Amino acid sequence: MIKIQKNDFYSLSDASLYLKKSEHYVKIFIAKKMLKANSLGEGNGKRYFIKGEYLIKFLARWEAGDFHN
């Protein structure tokens, strides 16, 4: 797997590959403010952009078990 770069931005599909979860779950993590993301557009046309450093922090917290299911 490719290393996550701190200053790069990743799409929802990229994030789902790194997190090994579906895009639906990544959207839920964003909605619950567990994962920080920038968005563009509204409704079905909404696009998410996740900065690498936020993805790295989320993965570290997820692997440490800091989130409750």
Side-chain angles (χ1 to χ4, degrees), residues 39-43 45-47:
S39 63
L40 181 65
E42 296 179 8
K46 193 169 197 175
R47 301 289 179 253

Side-chain angles (χ1 to χ4, degrees), residues 15-69:
S16 69
L17 292 174
Y18 286 113
L19 299 176
K20 297 180 181 134
K21 299 284 183 187
S22 70
E23 290 181 21
H24 174 75
Y25 280 107
V26 178
K27 284 182 184 179
I28 291 173
F29 297 148
I30 293 168
K32 290 185 175 184
K33 300 189 189 300
M34 296 166 67
L35 177 60
K36 191 173 181 180
N38 297 334
S39 63
L40 181 65
E42 296 179 8
N44 290 337
K46 193 169 197 175
R47 301 289 179 253
Y48 294 96
F49 302 96
I50 304 161
K51 192 168 183 181
E53 72 177 283
Y54 303 142
L55 199 52
I56 292 168
K57 287 178 186 178
F58 178 86
L59 281 169
R61 289 186 68 196
W62 184 266
E63 289 173 0
D66 288 348
F67 295 118
H68 299 287
N69 292 335

